[in-house]
Amino acid sequence: EAAVTQSPRNKVTVTGGNVTLSCRQTNSHNYMYWYRQDTGHGLRLIHYSYGAGNLQIGDVPDGYKATRTTQEDFFLLLELASPSQTSLYFCASSARDREGSDYTFGSGTRLLVI
Amino acid sequence: QQQVRQSPQSLTVWEGETAILNCSYENSAFDYFPWYQQFPGEGPALLIAIRSVSDKKEDGGFTIFFNKREKNLSLHIKDSQPGDSATYFCAASGGMGYKLTFGTGTSLLVDP
């Protein structure tokens, strides 16, 4: 069954800490995305990629890096975590680059920065 | 700036009623509008979608009404059930873009 798997499910880190969120998709999709979800803001795009080695900047990229190592794996890196990055993070994948491309989301990673 | 807006932020209806969720957008290049449904502890999942060449799309008890001139659309959930209680996101994409822009969501509670 095609899926998007995120890990860890929950993460607590200290301010200034280093965090890596992982995402793997088995959908054979080219496109992968990282979103953060916050009350009052909905889903906001951090970074996305259209293939291994490719990275595109989203709408709220500050403080985040990302890397797409393979078609399946997309990582989000917080190298100096701040409390403002406490959020629920979702990874998603999609099949194509035309309108009508639908997303498959993972179950999310809840990050707390203390 | 918020390119896709949703209202209300939260909505409570009685079981059996029709819930109406609203969405508006600013970018005239948007031409594809999916709605995603999210239950607590889960990621959003595609519920129903419409293209701008249509003004109505139905799927089961879910209907999208689309008004291109006014740049708005609405999701009607007919005969709402407690199991429909969830957060609903309106999204949009179009032009040369493929990435979705999401609204802020509407939290729906269906009271039995």
Side-chain angles (χ1 to χ4, degrees):
Chain A
E1 180 182 318
V4 176
T5 304
Q6 294 184 235
S7 62
R9 192 64 193 263
N10 295 282
K11 177 72 176 179
V12 180
T13 191
V14 296
T15 299
N18 196 320
V19 176
T20 298
L21 307 185
S22 302
C23 178
R24 165 163 284 201
Q25 57 102 356
T26 58
N27 305 322
S28 299
H29 288 166
N30 291 329
Y31 296 87
M32 296 186 74
Y33 313 83
W34 278 107
Y35 284 85
R36 59 177 292 173
Q37 182 176 0
D38 304 284
T39 302
H41 293 279
L43 291 157
R44 292 181 291 175
L45 181 64
I46 304 170
H47 291 298
Y48 60 106
S49 166
Y50 54 75
N54 175 265
L55 181 64
Q56 303 293 316
I57 295 173
D59 300 319
V60 290
D62 292 347
Y64 301 96
K65 293 184 179 179
T67 179
R68 179 89 177 267
T69 54
T70 64
Q71 186 186 33
E72 293 79 19
D73 297 302
F74 195 29
F75 300 93
L76 186 67
L77 293 77
L78 293 73
E79 295 184 331
L80 286 172
S82 73
S84 65
Q85 294 175 309
T86 292
S87 186
L88 180 57
Y89 291 87
F90 285 102
C91 176
S93 69
S94 68
R96 52 203 168 121
D97 61 345
R98 296 172 58 89
E99 68 274 10
S101 175
D102 296 319
Y103 288 16
T104 301
F105 282 87
S107 298
T109 293
R110 189 170 295 279
L111 175 66
L112 173 63
V113 183
I114 58 175
Chain B
Q1 70 281 20
Q2 192 68 36
Q3 290 200 58
V4 177
R5 292 189 173 87
Q6 290 186 246
S7 64
Q9 184 174 351
S10 63
L11 176 66
T12 300
V13 300
W14 294 109
E15 182 175 353
E17 290 186 333
T18 296
I20 300 175
L21 288 64
N22 301 302
C23 179
S24 64
Y25 62 97
E26 298 178 2
N27 190 340
S28 298
F30 287 155
D31 57 9
Y32 178 67
F33 303 89
W35 286 82
Y36 283 76
Q37 180 187 55
Q38 183 184 29
F39 296 107
E42 299 181 9
L46 179 68
L47 180 65
I48 185 173
I50 192 168
R51 300 181 191 276
S52 61
V53 295
S54 301
D55 57 14
K56 183 180 176 181
K57 177 74 176 291
E58 285 183 270
D59 187 353
F62 300 95
T63 303
I64 299 174
F65 294 93
F66 179 72
N67 187 322
K68 187 173 183 177
R69 185 174 61 87
E70 298 293 329
K71 293 185 187 174
N72 62 47
L73 59 158
S74 60
L75 174 68
H76 291 224
I77 305 174
K78 184 179 175 182
D79 188 24
S80 298
Q81 299 298 308
D84 294 324
S85 297
T87 298
Y88 292 81
F89 289 101
C90 173
S93 68
M96 292 300 293
Y98 48 86
K99 60 186 177 72
L100 291 171
T101 298
F102 286 85
T104 53
T106 293
S107 177
L108 173 67
L109 178 63
V110 181
D111 269 338

